[in-house]
Every structure is written in structure tokens, then in C-alpha cells.
Amino acid sequence: MDISSEVREHVLVANIGERIDGSNALDFQNALGALIDDSERDVILDFENLKYISSAGLRVILMTAKTVQRQGGRLMVCSLSESVREVFKISGFDRIIPVEDSQEDAIAATRS
Amino acid sequence: MKSAHPFKILVVDDEPDLEPLVLQRMRRSIRGGEYTFVFAGNGIEALEVLSADPSIDMVLSDINMPRMDGLTLLEQIPQVSPDIRCVIVSAYGDMKNIRVAMNRGAFDFVTKPIDFEDLKVTIDRTLKHLQEWREALASRDKLVMLQNELDVASKMQKSILPTTFPRSPDYQMSARMQAARNVGGDFYDVMNLERGALGLAIADVSDKGVPAALFMMSCRTLLKGAAIGTGSPGPVLNEVNDLLQESNDAAMFVTALYAVYDPGTGTLTYANGGHNTPLLVHPDGSSEELALTDGIALAVVPGYEYEQASVTLSPGDAVVLYTDGVTEAMNEQAEEFGMERLIALFADGASTDPEEAIDGIFRAVNDFAGEAPQSDDITCLVFRRSENQA
């Protein structure tokens, strides 16, 4: 899975692909794992391009959030489409993982 | 060419001088434990040796021999030793026989007079190919074995899903799961509780495959235990949530909806652990989603307190519990089935008789998906309070 990433103001911002489901969740997990390896940074997953996420994808997000927390950082997600936002709401993930409207909002939130 | 045992090569030639020559020229490889040689004087003898000794790996055969020639031998070998590799020794430039030999399954050829350096390269290449072939066969067998075990796991998993459902003058119900892969992560359950109450559960474990199936099994067992021991939906989810936290390094989670129906009052009390909201369908086909109870998926937050809510079913009201495999089923244009189509199904007059409703929902979802591959388990449970109460 292609994840492009950049460091903005000491925050790691990763742009996620169009679809995360059972077929690519493991790739996604490995790719994210490599990105956040040993960093103590806050991490923002930008879902601008994400159209569909299955529970397998949510599991990877949850694992990643736990890893980031262990390393002293925070994980946030931003720019959710309506359907992805719905998945976060139904599963209750929006109450565990901060959801921001845009990358700028998310970066601002990491400063707080 | 190295292996645990020396490779055994059968040399077939009517020329008696060849045997001492081969043993002499190949003595290093023989002493080094790379190969051993056995010999036969013609095709008939060769077949006898092959049937008596299944440990032979490779045949090196001349073409012109009395009783049975090398080309006939090539035809006969697969019936005796199907996995053996054959190399033919032909006269220099005898392309016609070489072509026949290759078409009959020879792996390679060398020409006379034999250049022993070239022969060794040819033998090593042939044996390397053989070894790779055998490894591929072993992997294939292992894969078949794993596949069989997965099939067994899948059958076991399906066998724990109830297929007969409690019936009463007060209510009817039915449920079904259509698994996406061999072993899935969805399940439903129904439990007879005290004082005629009925426990209904539907759940979806994150991810699919074997780890999800194992997690699903423990969820289902814990939920059943808690349902029978604890009673009300909120505390049942609290208990299951806390028990699932233990040893969950893989960050698996499960969304679950658990409901208890009290036939005395027609009340359905439910708690939602991050699961899709059930649909309440009235006898006229109108419907509404049940009020959210804001729960988080189970096994995510330790000590989370699950809220519960109640709704009183009027006679003829049906409740549709489903997993996201229903609403997120995709067609070939990557559109989702969606809540709207589920609602429209009943608005357009689909039966709310549980069995017919389940049939209708699965038919609609499968028709919608068409040739698009099913990426998630599809599970649905329909419960209806009887229209004409006794």
C-alpha cells in the first residue's frame, strides 16, 4: 500500500490510500509500522483520499494508536469522508481517536 | 549438487564399457556423496530396476539398444516412476531423435562421445530442477492440508451458529450468515433466558481469517456465559468487554449488539458495542433506526460502561439486526448497498416474516452485488413480535 508522508511542524502526517480492507490491512499495518518506527512524534493520518475502511482497517488504526501512545505521542485522523466518519461514529472509534476536519485543524490540535 | 542423501542415477546403455568409464570419471562426485549410479543394459532391464527401486532420482539413457530402445523407454517410464527426470544420450547431430525424446518428456540431452564435464553440468541442472519440483510438490501438499484444516474450522464455526430458532405464539425469528472467506468473523446467537425472556446477539470481529475466527469463538462463549449469568444487556457487554481485554496484543476488537426481549411486556432492551444500529420495521413497511446507545466496540477500552436503551415493540413490529456486510456490500461500480436500500426493501413491501425477510434481504444484497467479490461476512437476524397476540 502506498502511503505518502511528510513531517510538518514535528508532526508526522501520512496520507492514506483509497481503501483499507481485509485484503490490504496487513500491508497497511506494515507500511504504517515502518513510518512510525521509534518516533516520539504525534501522528496524523489524513483520510482525504480514503473512501472505504473495514473493521480490519480499524484494527490497524487502533494498533497504531496504541503504539504511538506507548512512544509518548498521539494519533489523530483528519479529513474523513461522510461514510468513513459514519464508520468511526458507529464503532465508537471517534471517542478514542481524535477526529479533526482538516490537516490544519489536526496540526493545531497537536499543539494544545 | 548437495542433498541429505546422494542422488541415485540409473544409466541405461548396451555398451558394457560405459559402466567402468562412468564410475571412473565420476569417482569424485561418488566419493563426495553427491551421486550413486546403478546400471541397466536396455529399456526392459531399466524398467525392472525402476520398479524394484523407487529411490532412483534420474535416468540417463542411450537411444539405440536391443529389446527396448531409449525412446520407447521414455514412453514407459511415467507409468513406473512419474516424477523421475530423464536425460538422453544421442549421436551428435541426431536432431530427429533428440526432438522425439524431448517431446516424450526427456528433460535434456547430451551427445556422444560423452564429454564428462558437460555431463556433470547436465546432471546437476537436472537434479536441481528435480529438487525444486519436489519442494513445490511438498508445499502444495502442505497447502492442501492447511486448506482442509481451514475447511474443518469453517464447518466447526458454522456449526455453532444456531439454525433452528425458538418459536412462540408471541414471536418468530430467523438468522443467517453468508461467510466471505473460509473462516469468518461474524456471528449471531440466541439464548433462552429466565422467565421466558430471549437473548439476541449479533457481532462482527475485526478482520477475517483464522485469528479473527479464534477471537470470534471466545467472544461468542463469553457473551453466552455473561448473557445467562448477568442478564441485562449493558452489564453483559461490560463483562465481555473486560474479559476480552486480557491477552489481546493483536488489538482485535468486536462490534456487538446484545438485546433481551421480554415477551410479557413486548420490551426489547439493548446495548450496543460499536455495532450497526438495528432497524425497527413496522407492519406497514415504514421503519426507523433504534436510538443509538453510543457504545464503543468491545475489547478496546477497559472498564467501559455500556449504556442500554429500551423500545417497546407493537404487535407486528420487527427488528432487523445486521452486520456491515449487509450495508457495505458493494456492487461492480463500487457503490454500497447502504441503509437506504435496506429501508426501501421494507417500504416496497418486503415481508417482515423473519424467514421471508431474511430471504429477501440476502436476495437483495446478492442481486445488488452481482459479480463483485464478497469482501465481508454478511449476517442478519430478524425478530418479530407476533401480530395477533394470544
Side-chain angles (χ1 to χ4, degrees):
Chain A
M1 143 156 292
D2 273 351
I3 300 179
S4 64
S5 65
E6 57 177 335
V7 174
R8 284 185 63 185
E9 303 179 33
H10 306 288
V11 182
L12 178 74
V13 180
N15 292 290
I16 309 305
E18 282 195 6
R19 190 179 163 87
I20 311 166
D21 58 20
S23 69
N24 65 359
L26 193 64
D27 290 347
F28 178 55
Q29 184 176 331
N30 293 338
L32 265 188
L35 275 182
I36 60 163
D37 204 20
D38 294 333
S39 83
E40 285 175 27
R41 281 187 294 250
D42 292 333
V43 176
I44 296 170
L45 303 181
D46 191 324
F47 285 171
E48 172 92 61
N49 300 317
L50 185 69
K51 291 185 180 139
Y52 176 78
I53 184 165
S54 77
S55 56
L58 286 180
R59 188 180 72 81
V60 176
I61 306 276
L62 181 62
M63 271 187 88
T64 309
K66 285 183 175 175
T67 309
V68 172
Q69 269 168 23
R70 252 200 316 276
Q71 294 172 350
R74 282 171 299 176
L75 181 130
M76 299 181 180
V77 297
C78 69
S79 317
L80 278 63
S81 72
E82 202 179 317
S83 61
V84 172
R85 191 179 281 269
E86 184 73 10
V87 170
F88 265 68
K89 185 171 183 295
I90 292 173
S91 59
F93 270 55
D94 60 352
R95 268 157 288 146
I96 318 161
I97 294 167
V99 177
E100 299 293 340
D101 288 339
S102 67
Q103 221 180 84
E104 274 60 38
D105 288 355
I107 288 171
T110 62
R111 291 201 208 96
S112 64
Chain B
M1 218 36 232
K2 285 283 173 195
S3 77
H5 303 287
F7 288 101
K8 197 182 270 189
I9 301 168
L10 170 62
V11 179
V12 192
D13 202 310
D14 58 333
E15 180 58 59
D17 292 347
L18 188 66
E19 180 169 340
L21 186 63
V22 167
L23 293 175
Q24 204 268 331
R25 299 298 296 268
M26 293 289 186
R27 64 188 183 282
R28 279 214 191 93
S29 301
I30 296 169
R31 235 184 281 139
E34 289 180 61
Y35 333 126
T36 59
F37 288 94
V38 286
F39 295 87
N42 58 57
I44 301 280
E45 273 182 42
L47 289 175
E48 283 165 10
V49 174
L50 285 172
S51 11
D53 184 355
S55 70
I56 290 169
D57 300 294
M58 170 182 165
V59 171
L60 177 71
S61 178
D62 191 16
I63 291 181
N64 293 317
M65 294 178 293
R67 294 181 69 198
M68 183 191 282
D69 66 18
L71 296 177
T72 313
L73 175 64
L74 274 178
E75 279 185 323
Q76 300 291 319
I77 280 177
Q79 288 141 46
V80 183
S81 315
D83 288 330
I84 219 158
R85 293 288 177 276
C86 303
V87 171
I88 281 293
V89 185
S90 84
Y92 181 79
D94 184 4
M95 203 38 90
K96 189 164 164 257
N97 274 335
I98 289 170
R99 282 310 315 156
V100 173
M102 297 305 274
N103 288 341
R104 289 185 183 180
F107 181 74
D108 205 345
F109 66 93
V110 291
T111 54
K112 287 178 181 174
I114 293 175
D115 169 349
F116 278 86
E117 281 302 309
D118 177 52
L119 178 63
K120 187 162 164 36
V121 171
T122 306
I123 289 175
D124 282 351
R125 206 172 69 83
T126 308
L127 292 175
K128 183 164 181 281
H129 175 85
L130 179 70
Q131 207 167 23
E132 285 168 359
W133 165 258
R134 284 178 178 160
E135 282 163 13
L137 282 186
S139 306
R140 187 197 62 181
D141 291 349
K142 207 182 248 175
L143 198 66
V144 168
M145 198 180 75
L146 277 175
Q147 191 61 50
N148 290 341
E149 286 181 6
L150 279 178
D151 287 347
V152 172
S154 164
K155 283 196 188 101
M156 280 175 61
Q157 208 183 15
K158 285 210 186 84
S159 71
I160 65 159
L161 297 178
T163 49
T164 55
F165 301 98
R167 284 199 94 83
S168 127
D170 299 320
Y171 58 78
Q172 309 87 43
M173 66 163 294
S174 186
R176 188 185 301 169
M177 174 179 83
Q178 177 178 313
R181 280 197 235 159
N182 274 345
V183 281
D186 279 11
F187 72 93
Y188 60 83
D189 208 352
V190 49
M191 289 147 278
N192 286 304
L193 305 174
E194 287 174 4
R195 289 183 289 278
L198 197 66
L200 306 171
I202 190 160
D204 179 358
V205 171
S206 57
D207 217 341
K208 301 287 167 289
V210 174
L214 291 173
F215 194 75
M216 172 267 198
M217 289 290 211
S218 57
C219 291
R220 181 249 178 197
T221 309
L222 292 172
L223 188 68
K224 211 174 188 77
I228 291 164
T230 310
S232 339
V236 165
L237 292 194
N238 293 347
E239 187 179 329
V240 176
N241 180 49
D242 287 340
L243 290 168
L244 283 175
Q245 306 285 341
E246 294 166 17
S247 63
N248 180 23
D249 294 339
M252 292 277 213
F253 64 88
V254 55
T255 70
L257 188 125
Y258 178 61
V260 174
Y261 178 71
D262 177 356
T265 58
T267 309
L268 188 77
T269 307
Y270 59 95
N272 191 343
H275 198 80
N276 298 69
T277 316
L279 190 67
L280 173 62
V281 185
H282 303 297
D284 65 357
S286 65
S287 60
E288 67 217 63
E289 290 183 54
L290 291 185
L292 272 174
T293 55
D294 280 344
I296 297 176
L298 305 181
V300 177
V301 179
Y304 189 85
E305 296 274 333
Y306 288 87
E307 302 273 328
Q308 63 185 40
S310 287
V311 60
T312 301
L313 304 185
S314 302
D317 277 352
V319 178
V320 180
L321 313 186
Y322 57 92
T323 60
D324 57 10
V326 173
T327 44
E328 291 172 15
M330 283 201 187
N331 65 9
E332 287 154 84
Q333 286 76 48
E335 296 162 337
E336 290 186 2
F337 184 76
M339 206 51 207
E340 302 73 29
R341 284 187 180 81
L342 188 62
I343 291 168
L345 196 65
F346 292 104
D348 292 346
S351 167
T352 57
D353 168 80
E355 261 180 54
E356 291 172 18
I358 293 276
D359 279 345
I361 291 168
F362 275 84
R363 198 181 315 120
V365 170
N366 287 325
D367 285 352
F368 174 79
E371 296 296 311
Q374 185 189 336
S375 67
D376 201 357
D377 297 344
I378 301 174
T379 306
C380 199
L381 185 155
V382 178
F383 174 89
R384 184 174 68 168
R385 185 178 184 193
S386 297
E387 194 136 15
N388 305 308
Q389 296 283 296

